Amino acid sequence: MNRQLKVLTVGNSFGKDTSKHIYDIARSLGFESVRVCVLYIGGCSLNKHYENALGDLPLYAYHTNCDGEWQITEGKCISEAIAEDDWDYISIQHGTADGSRYTLPESYVKLEALIAYIKKLAHKKTKIVFNMAWVMATDGTHPEIRFYAGDQLLMYKKLTELTSTVVEGTKGLDIVSPAGTAVQNARVYGLPDDKLMRDGFHMSYGLGRYIAGLTFIKALTGVEIDGIEWCPEDVTKEEKDIAIRCANAAIEHPYSITKI
């Protein structure tokens, strides 16, 4: 087993949600050296990330964790962060602040170009990850879920169709992390949206982020998560077991819901 893990996310709040517990998860699973970093602009879309990359714009808050504590540095650009380390993985994901909808193909038009930009600057060993986000709460107020009149299954269908075709077919992409499917598995199990989410479209601080993090780590490394000891303080043993099962099922069936 590789005892080192270095992950950079070019992201937004969805990236922060997924990354929040990765350090603790990875350490609990036996990784001895862990570095997790997030280039953050709230809601930043794939297309906007590409514009920022082309302009080499220092617009990102840089969230870093290499010892269990998060530190934030303002004014970082994508090229600086990529050059900072020989990353094992660099992750990207959707964003909606500029009106993008991640269930529409036009939100992905710059995905291949963004991946090519990252690969040109990154270490040759670095793998590029696409972090498939989650469907929002049925009664959420975000325009994306409102477009589907609160129909989570319809939105999930559109999201997985796009990810399994347009995203997976993108040149240069190595891995897809199906966090959205893990969350949907948890819903089918019976966990309510107010347990999984904190505001209708971001993951809850404990369980929601834990599910996303477990899925991400397993998608990237293939490490077994069944025996993990660590979980957030507000996650019960039963919820921890559900999270593990939902993440495992999502890795096995990334674009379809599994009844746990």
Side-chain angles (χ1 to χ4, degrees):
M1 174 182 173
N2 183 355
R3 297 291 175 176
Q4 173 183 280
L5 181 66
K6 294 187 286 187
V7 182
L8 171 66
T9 289
V10 180
N12 46 45
S13 57
F14 292 163
K16 281 178 60 180
D17 276 350
T18 302
S19 300
K20 176 63 177 179
H21 297 314
I22 285 177
Y23 180 89
D24 293 303
I25 290 171
R27 291 283 290 167
S28 184
L29 291 171
F31 289 90
E32 295 172 355
S33 175
V34 181
R35 188 176 188 212
V36 185
C37 299
V38 181
L39 285 164
Y40 169 78
I41 295 177
C44 197
S45 67
L46 293 168
N47 297 340
K48 190 64 177 175
H49 282 309
Y50 181 63
E51 290 179 17
N52 294 342
L54 281 186
D56 211 25
L57 303 178
L59 302 177
Y60 293 84
Y62 193 44
H63 298 243
T64 63
N65 188 342
C66 59
D67 59 2
E69 298 293 332
W70 285 94
Q71 307 293 332
I72 303 175
T73 303
E74 299 291 341
K76 201 82 165 179
C77 61
I78 295 174
S79 63
E80 285 181 299
I82 294 174
E84 195 173 86
D85 214 329
D86 56 339
W87 303 101
D88 297 308
Y89 306 94
I90 296 179
S91 175
I92 51 181
Q93 73 281 309
H94 342 71
T96 61
D98 60 358
S100 296
R101 289 206 7 243
Y102 54 83
T103 54
L104 291 180
E106 48 262 42
S107 295
Y108 301 83
V109 295
K110 296 298 184 182
L111 176 60
E112 185 174 330
L114 178 60
I115 291 173
Y117 173 89
I118 293 170
K119 289 184 81 73
K120 183 178 179 180
L121 298 179
H123 193 278
K124 62 182 180 181
K125 74 167 186 177
T126 303
K127 293 185 177 181
I128 309 300
V129 182
F130 186 85
N131 183 28
M132 185 184 81
W134 38 84
V135 174
M136 299 160 182
T138 298
D139 59 354
T141 58
H142 194 282
E144 182 76 89
I145 190 65
R146 296 322 310 155
F147 180 84
Y148 295 102
D151 189 334
Q152 287 180 335
L153 291 180
L154 180 56
M155 183 179 169
Y156 175 76
K157 180 174 182 291
K158 295 294 184 181
L159 177 59
T160 52
E161 284 176 353
L162 269 174
T163 308
S164 63
T165 56
V166 173
V167 174
E168 280 224 358
T170 302
K171 181 180 178 180
L173 184 68
D174 297 299
I175 300 168
V176 172
S177 176
T181 294
V183 172
Q184 213 60 30
N185 289 341
R187 286 179 169 131
V188 170
Y189 182 89
L191 294 179
D193 281 338
D194 61 3
K195 192 70 176 177
L196 297 168
M197 298 190 150
R198 63 182 187 269
D199 57 8
F201 60 100
H202 290 107
M203 291 286 89
S204 59
Y205 292 119
L207 182 59
R209 285 178 163 183
Y210 188 55
I211 292 173
L214 286 173
T215 308
F216 192 78
I217 286 290
K218 178 143 191 181
L220 272 54
T221 70
V223 67
E224 290 300 324
I225 60 175
D226 300 66
I228 187 171
E229 295 183 2
W230 184 88
C231 68
E233 291 182 358
D234 62 348
V235 172
T236 68
K237 184 182 183 305
E238 180 184 5
E239 290 167 346
K240 173 188 166 187
D241 292 342
I242 295 168
I244 292 168
R245 295 171 69 187
C246 289
N248 280 331
I251 298 301
E252 187 172 353
H253 304 288
Y255 303 122
S256 60
I257 300 167
T258 302
K259 293 183 179 180
I260 305 298

